[in-house]
Amino acid sequence: MIQTIAPRSLTLGHLYPDQLNLYGDRGNILTLQRRCQLRGINLRIVGLGVGDALAPDEYDLLFIGGGQDKEQAPVAQDLYEMKGIGLWAAIEDDMPVLAVCGGYQLLAHYYRPAEGPDMRGLGVFDAWTIHKGAQTPRCIGDIALRWNDQTLVGFENHGGRTYLGTTPPLGRVLKGSGNNAEDGNEGAVYRNAFGTYLHGSLLPKNPHFADHLIELALRRKYGQGTSPGEPGSLNGQFHPDTEDDHTSSPELQSDLASSLLTPLDDRLEWEAHASILERLGLHTEAAAALRNARDAVNVSLALS
Ligand code: GLN
């Protein structure tokens, strides 16, 4: 077969960019865009506001950020009525979704604010959130958690306390509050949908998690690549007719893909990551994060 090749591209749907846009969550979009650009991957961003339908086939990954209760209420109704079916279809088809704070709460069963009626969620995560009133301290501050065998760092600012049913957490809290400042869980995961309270914004200081999302999207769209730089790899050009591979598990997809995505020089990102860990007194974890940076640079130099 004569390979016609084309650059790789992804489309990210940004849900409610005008309503759920507090706490600098837009930095997540900028990070994904930059990390794709540095690998020759064109990431197109499409905003989806109130009243816009969500056609899952038009996107490769989705992001929904955080906001105050007063912004969440109208969004909750629109999310359920206008985007719920499309979002469920995308998630069941292993599309990577990142949902932060208020967005995370609305992908669970419900959010019960301190005042007013419950906000109905999509129930993607078997979880629920209850704001216990002004007399209960908000969960605010730097936070670090264990994610797989690495750390994630960020900043949390939420009054709602989230409790998980059957849904596993994104990670375990090392320092900070997490879902509810009681059970040590932070976030939630269902297939390739990730809910978290980590603002910061999250991805600039967690390059490994940013790449995890990119890899999942590429793997889902383009299927298995070859070694870096060869036609068909995640870093080289791509034949658009390759069969999409939806058969292997999301974990396998990401593992296979992660060996194909060229490492970047993330020394600055890992130093920022380590500085949060140090601030939280997690010195061993900070040293491990800086080792990550050195290892990634060595691999990057070896491949260049
Ligand atoms: N309004 C919600 C709460 O306070 C979410 C806040 C946010 O998105 N940071 O729990």
Side-chain angles (χ1 to χ4, degrees):
M1 175 193 301
I2 297 175
Q3 287 228 343
T4 55
I5 53 177
R8 286 177 172 272
S9 65
L10 294 171
T11 301
L12 182 146
H14 184 183
L15 276 68
Y16 309 106
D18 299 331
Q19 291 84 8
L20 298 182
N21 59 4
L22 283 185
Y23 312 99
D25 290 336
R26 186 171 171 69
N28 295 310
I29 306 285
L30 299 177
T31 298
L32 290 169
Q33 213 160 25
R34 179 67 177 148
R35 296 186 74 82
C36 281
Q37 181 190 37
L38 289 171
R39 283 133 170 172
I41 302 161
N42 176 40
L43 179 66
R44 186 167 70 96
I45 311 299
V46 176
L48 286 148
V50 173
D52 293 335
L54 192 164
D57 293 346
E58 294 177 9
Y59 306 97
D60 301 300
L61 63 167
L62 298 169
F63 173 74
I64 179 170
Q68 295 177 29
D69 290 15
K70 67 178 187 314
E71 281 110 359
Q72 274 181 280
V75 161
Q77 184 173 352
D78 181 84
L79 182 66
Y80 190 88
E81 293 174 358
M82 289 299 295
K83 301 177 181 57
I85 293 173
L87 193 51
W88 259 109
I91 290 169
E92 289 297 339
D93 193 36
D94 291 332
M95 186 183 298
V97 176
L98 177 61
V100 177
C101 205
Y104 162 34
Q105 294 172 341
L106 295 180
L107 259 61
H109 292 305
Y110 63 82
Y111 171 46
R112 181 166 297 158
E115 293 169 8
D118 289 4
M119 298 178 204
R120 185 171 49 181
L122 294 187
V124 167
F125 303 126
D126 178 20
W128 56 96
T129 302
I130 297 169
H131 192 305
K132 297 184 175 175
Q135 75 285 353
T136 304
R138 287 182 71 83
C139 299
I140 296 182
D142 291 330
I143 178 171
L145 46 120
R146 176 71 54 198
W147 173 62
N148 297 331
D149 60 353
Q150 292 183 289
T151 48
L152 292 177
V153 298
F155 183 84
E156 59 184 329
N157 178 353
H158 56 102
R161 306 292 175 99
T162 299
Y163 300 89
L164 304 181
T166 57
T167 294
L170 173 65
R172 294 288 293 168
V173 175
L174 294 171
K175 284 286 180 77
S177 298
N179 280 342
N180 50 46
E182 297 165 34
D183 59 19
N185 286 326
E186 201 296 319
V189 179
Y190 175 70
R191 301 183 76 93
N192 287 334
F194 304 93
T196 181
Y197 275 114
L198 271 63
H199 295 292
S201 46
L202 171 66
L203 298 182
K205 291 190 280 292
N206 297 284
H208 51 319
F209 192 54
D211 281 355
H212 182 63
L213 295 171
I214 296 168
E215 288 155 8
L216 288 173
L218 287 170
R219 191 76 180 77
R220 176 176 175 274
K221 181 173 184 179
Y222 292 114
Q224 183 166 344
T226 56
S227 59
E230 289 179 18
S233 79
L234 295 183
N235 307 297
Q237 301 299 314
F238 175 71
H239 189 290
D241 295 341
T242 296
E243 281 300 309
D244 278 351
D245 172 9
H246 286 229
T247 51
S248 54
S249 72
E251 295 76 14
L252 172 61
Q253 291 179 26
S254 174
D255 289 345
L256 284 173
S258 59
S259 63
L260 303 177
L261 201 57
T262 302
L264 300 174
D265 180 349
D266 288 333
R267 277 172 288 188
L268 189 61
E269 289 77 0
W270 281 110
E271 283 163 13
H273 183 106
S275 71
I276 301 284
L277 293 169
E278 291 285 3
R279 207 150 69 192
L280 290 168
L282 297 167
H283 306 298
T284 305
E285 292 78 1
L290 292 174
R291 276 198 304 277
N292 272 332
R294 282 194 299 272
D295 295 349
V297 169
N298 292 339
V299 172
S300 172
L301 292 173
L303 287 175
S304 60

